[in-house]
Amino acid sequence: MGNEKSSLNGIEIDEKAIEITDFWTQYSASVQNYNSQRVSIFISEPSLHYTASFGKPTPLERIAKNLMLHRHPCILKYISSWHKGSKFFLCTEEAKPLIQVIDAQNALQICVGLYNIACALVFLHEKALATHNNVCSSSIYITPEGCWKLGGFEYLCKFSEATATYYQKIRSYRYERATCPNEDINALIASENLASIDVYAFGVLAEDILKLKHADNIPALTEFREFCKENLQNSDPSLRCRLSSVLQHPFFTHDFIKIHGFLEELPLKNNEEKEVFFTNLVNDLRAFPEDVVAEQLGRSLLSRIVLLDQTAQVKFLPYVLKPRDENDDIGNSVFSTPVFKTYLIPRLLQMFCIRDVSIRLLLLLHFKSFVHTFQTDELKSQILPELLVGIKDTNDHLVCATLKALAEVVTILGAATVIGGKRAKLFTDGRPNKIKKQKENSTTCTIKNNDSDTIASINTNIIELRLPERPSPDGGEDKKESSFAFADEESTWSDWDAHDANVNSHQSNVQDTESVRPIPDMASVLDSPSSTTKSEANKYTKKIEMSDISELDIKHSKSLKSPVDEYDFFTDMEPVIKKTHVLHIQDEKGNTSASSRSIFDVNVSNTALQEFEDNDGWSEHLSDWDIEDNKELSF
């Protein structure tokens, strides 16, 4: 059965009860695991009245035992059970009693629900060889997806264990209207027709539920009501149809039920049947209200068996996983965006928690189509963490698809939320037309803010500032030319740097500052050219040291290191012109100056010197030079 050790960890039970009966109280609860699963909790205490009649186990303990033994898609799913003190706890899938939501059910939903209950009873009769003995609205529960589930298994009995005494004890606890007035248990046991007890109760249930409903495009609704009254509630048990035959009634064989049944029995179908079914399924579903389709078939349409079917992946799922906006063509998708958000998003949130590579790749393939239907909190707290797990996987295809999906999330949550870490503006818009336009606008704004005298001064400086037609030879430019040339060279390099992809994080601010800075006064430029040009040029000679790409982590990436100054290659390019050193010679009168002795020193005589001066040039008679004269000429 269960004990305290089998209780669920991290379970939080709501304070408000959903249903209170003579034997138990039902609550909603949540299990704090990776998916925060919602469940239903049934709590009971020993009943002295029931114990006196039946002894132990209690009704809720009997239900837990039978739900644990009898598993079927149309039977309430058992999760766990345990004792705590004098109380007994039963945990099942989340569900509400039918009587609380029956008023909101339309005829089509009721049709599918009754079909599920009939399938569950057929399973009990033909597979489990047991009878339910208490089929009524209080024994039926509805899941959040709208599926009807059979519960209330406290009176279930095996055919082999049925006795007249047992049925006599439970008669007062069963739904009175669902009990045949002329019920002869001994005759039913002898004829091995105990299943007719549930057939009669099912006929009463269907009549009660359908009596206030209109056809609503459900064929044979009126005929089925009459069938329930005349056949299923016949006083003679031998004249009642078996429930397996009831499922062949036209009320249960229309197109919607066929689609539902095919999806439930999909593993039993061959490839040809699947191909025909999924090829026509989109058009078949459009014949019914989309909210009913989403509520009743949403779980089946997104089941694992459908997602992994190759035919469904090509011909059906692209139309299901793409919600339709108001302006979209109805032929491109099955569900509108509001219906998609209401019924399919909760299912998708659960599917993203499944660590199956095939399921995840399929979801990521269509992620762009439905990512906008998630709420911001859902994307941030549920979808994003699961995507970040995907980029750590060893499967390259999964990592590639995950990164593409993250790009879609960035447009909604922003890069700061998705990437994390410190970021900086490392790129600028280098389009020429845009830069030119920004500079023109900045210059215009600056000029408008200045007075008329400043504008006139700026215009004069602009007219006077001219570049030479060609650069002078190396070492031949004068001081003014070098200043002008270097100033223009600086502006040229700054424009080129605007296109450099490896500029540091401060370049954008520098570029904006230079674009709005007024033209400096020419006198200040001429006075200190080197100090200005060096400081400005050094701003563009810094290089960013990027992080090691092998350590890249989309959530914990290392921030860029601070810019480091590199060697300034422009330092030696500044032209420097030195003055000519003049060497003084010693005359005969004793006036001394720095003299030198080298192989280039030449001694000339007074006569030769006089002859040179008279001829205004060098004499052709070099032999007349007196090399031993004490006079020296250095040049």
Side-chain angles (χ1 to χ4, degrees):
M1 282 298 300
N3 50 39
E4 294 185 9
K5 293 183 180 180
S6 63
S7 61
L8 296 178
N9 294 327
I11 187 170
E12 296 182 0
I13 303 176
D14 297 346
E15 295 182 359
K16 185 177 180 181
I18 295 178
E19 182 186 30
I20 300 177
T21 67
D22 295 337
F23 301 129
W24 66 77
T25 303
Q26 180 184 355
Y27 298 88
S28 289
S30 60
V31 181
Q32 298 301 322
N33 53 18
Y34 68 92
N35 195 25
S36 297
Q37 181 182 5
R38 295 290 297 178
V39 296
S40 290
I41 298 293
F42 299 83
I43 304 176
S44 70
E45 293 187 1
S47 175
L48 297 177
H49 176 69
Y50 187 88
T51 303
S53 301
F54 298 96
K56 292 186 177 181
T58 63
L60 190 60
E61 291 176 336
R62 292 175 60 86
I63 292 176
K65 178 181 179 180
N66 289 321
L67 290 180
M68 184 170 53
L69 293 176
H70 303 91
R71 304 295 184 110
H72 187 271
C74 299
I75 293 177
L76 192 65
K77 182 180 179 181
Y78 170 89
I79 296 179
S80 180
S81 60
W82 64 93
H83 285 278
K84 187 175 182 181
S86 62
K87 296 181 179 180
F88 179 79
F89 294 77
L90 168 63
C91 178
T92 68
E93 63 179 318
E94 185 181 12
K96 291 183 177 181
L98 173 65
I99 56 178
Q100 295 185 7
V101 295
I102 187 61
D103 294 336
Q105 299 279 303
N106 57 38
L108 184 59
Q109 292 172 315
I110 292 174
C111 177
V112 176
L114 291 174
Y115 180 87
N116 289 344
I117 301 303
C119 290
L121 292 174
V122 170
F123 167 77
L124 291 177
H125 297 165
E126 299 181 2
K127 301 295 182 181
L129 301 179
T131 179
H132 187 275
N133 296 323
N134 193 33
V135 177
C136 59
S137 58
S138 61
S139 300
I140 300 174
Y141 297 85
I142 298 182
T143 65
E145 294 82 11
C147 297
W148 290 29
K149 300 294 184 76
L150 181 62
F153 279 63
E154 63 269 30
Y155 303 120
L156 183 138
C157 179
K158 294 284 187 180
F159 291 157
S160 58
E161 299 175 358
T163 61
T165 304
Y166 174 76
Y167 278 95
Q168 186 64 31
K169 288 181 179 180
I170 66 173
R171 184 177 180 88
S172 60
Y173 297 98
R174 295 164 56 192
Y175 181 43
E176 184 178 358
R177 191 170 181 277
T179 303
C180 181
N182 302 324
E183 187 176 72
D184 188 350
I185 298 300
N186 291 324
L188 294 176
I189 294 175
S191 62
E192 298 181 351
N193 194 20
L194 287 173
S196 62
I197 297 175
D198 292 339
V199 173
Y200 183 91
F202 180 82
V204 174
L205 172 68
E207 183 185 8
D208 291 343
I209 293 177
L210 293 174
K211 63 183 179 181
L212 300 179
K213 299 296 179 181
H214 300 287
D216 291 344
N217 299 325
I218 304 300
L221 177 60
T222 304
E223 292 82 351
F224 183 71
R225 273 200 227 115
E226 296 176 357
F227 176 79
C228 291
K229 183 69 175 178
E230 297 175 0
N231 188 299
L232 301 184
Q233 299 180 44
N234 196 304
S235 58
D236 187 354
S238 61
L239 298 179
R240 302 170 191 165
C241 291
R242 302 173 66 89
L243 287 178
S244 56
S245 300
V246 174
L247 293 177
Q248 303 302 320
H249 191 276
F251 181 73
F252 291 127
T253 57
H254 57 81
D255 292 340
F256 194 85
I257 294 295
K258 289 181 179 179
I259 294 173
H260 178 272
F262 193 98
L263 291 173
E264 294 295 332
E265 301 174 357
L266 192 61
L268 305 177
K269 307 298 181 180
N270 56 43
N271 293 333
E272 295 181 358
E273 293 174 331
K274 293 178 183 179
E275 184 174 0
V276 174
F277 175 75
F278 286 114
T279 301
N280 302 323
L281 183 57
V282 175
N283 293 329
D284 293 341
L285 292 178
R286 292 198 182 101
F288 306 98
E290 62 175 347
D291 56 338
V292 176
V293 173
E295 183 176 5
Q296 296 297 319
L297 303 180
R299 179 185 59 86
S300 300
L301 295 177
L302 296 180
S303 63
R304 178 182 177 85
I305 191 65
V306 174
L307 294 176
L308 298 182
D309 187 85
Q310 295 182 355
T311 306
Q313 292 177 2
V314 176
K315 298 186 177 182
F316 175 68
L317 290 178
Y319 300 93
V320 174
L321 296 177
K322 181 181 181 181
R324 181 181 69 254
D325 294 331
E326 296 180 356
N327 299 327
D328 292 345
D329 186 6
I330 193 174
N332 295 330
S333 57
V334 177
F335 303 112
S336 62
T337 300
V339 173
F340 191 93
K341 290 181 178 180
T342 304
Y343 298 103
L344 270 65
I345 285 298
R347 180 67 175 170
L348 291 175
L349 291 174
Q350 296 176 353
M351 293 168 61
F352 266 98
C353 297
I354 299 175
R355 303 291 174 81
D356 186 298
V357 65
S358 301
I359 300 297
R360 178 60 65 86
L361 285 174
L362 183 64
L363 293 176
L364 295 178
L365 178 63
H366 302 280
F367 188 74
K368 184 177 181 180
S369 300
F370 58 79
V371 62
H372 63 279
T373 59
F374 289 109
Q375 296 181 2
T376 303
D377 294 340
E378 294 172 342
L379 270 179
K380 187 175 181 179
S381 61
Q382 300 183 54
I383 301 299
L384 181 57
E386 291 297 331
L387 292 179
L388 295 178
V389 171
I391 63 176
K392 300 292 186 180
D393 196 82
T394 56
N395 189 315
D396 291 343
H397 296 289
L398 178 61
V399 173
C400 180
T402 302
L403 290 175
K404 293 180 180 178
L406 286 173
E408 300 295 334
V409 179
V410 169
T411 60
I412 301 176
L413 299 181
T417 302
V418 178
I419 303 299
K422 295 181 180 180
R423 299 184 301 124
K425 186 174 182 181
L426 305 177
F427 292 83
T428 57
D429 195 339
R431 291 176 291 179
N433 292 338
K434 186 170 183 179
I435 292 178
K436 182 178 179 181
K437 184 176 180 181
Q438 289 177 349
K439 288 185 176 182
E440 291 177 354
N441 293 339
S442 300
T443 304
T444 304
C445 293
T446 304
I447 292 176
K448 287 182 178 180
N449 293 333
N450 295 329
D451 54 20
S452 58
D453 294 339
T454 306
I455 295 175
S457 175
I458 292 175
N459 292 336
T460 303
N461 291 334
I462 293 176
I463 295 172
E464 291 178 355
L465 182 59
R466 291 290 185 270
L467 281 175
E469 294 183 359
R470 63 181 179 84
S472 301
D474 293 344
E477 62 270 41
D478 56 13
K479 187 175 182 180
K480 292 184 178 180
E481 289 177 348
S482 63
S483 301
F484 291 152
F486 201 86
D488 263 18
E489 183 180 355
E490 175 199 351
S491 61
T492 304
W493 277 101
S494 64
D495 288 341
W496 277 102
D497 284 347
H499 302 279
D500 192 357
N502 292 326
V503 293
N504 57 33
S505 59
H506 301 288
Q507 178 178 349
S508 58
N509 297 331
V510 174
Q511 184 73 21
D512 296 337
T513 304
E514 293 213 358
S515 62
V516 300
R517 184 177 56 191
I519 298 177
D521 185 72
M522 291 302 300
S524 61
V525 174
L526 294 176
D527 290 340
S528 56
S530 59
S531 61
T532 303
T533 55
K534 286 184 179 179
S535 60
E536 293 294 331
N538 287 336
K539 294 181 180 180
Y540 303 99
T541 59
K542 301 180 185 293
K543 182 180 179 182
I544 295 175
E545 183 178 347
M546 301 298 292
S547 300
D548 186 0
I549 195 170
S550 64
E551 300 178 1
L552 178 63
D553 191 324
I554 198 167
K555 284 297 289 181
H556 306 285
S557 58
K558 293 184 178 180
S559 60
L560 298 179
K561 296 181 180 180
S562 58
V564 179
D565 292 349
E566 287 192 350
Y567 180 76
D568 187 359
F569 293 97
F570 296 97
T571 301
D572 297 334
M573 296 182 63
E574 181 180 1
V576 178
I577 303 175
K578 296 182 179 180
K579 295 182 179 181
T580 304
H581 293 282
V582 180
L583 298 179
H584 301 281
I585 61 176
Q586 184 177 3
D587 56 11
E588 296 177 351
K589 296 180 180 181
N591 297 328
T592 61
S593 63
S595 62
S596 63
R597 286 290 182 178
S598 69
I599 60 174
F600 297 102
D601 293 341
V602 179
N603 295 329
V604 295
S605 62
N606 293 334
T607 306
L609 183 59
Q610 183 64 35
E611 185 178 352
F612 174 78
E613 294 175 355
D614 293 340
N615 293 333
D616 295 331
W618 295 101
S619 172
E620 296 179 356
H621 306 284
L622 296 179
S623 60
D624 295 337
W625 287 62
D626 186 6
I627 59 175
E628 294 183 0
D629 195 347
N630 292 329
K631 275 202 175 267
E632 297 180 83
L633 178 63
S634 298
F635 62 97

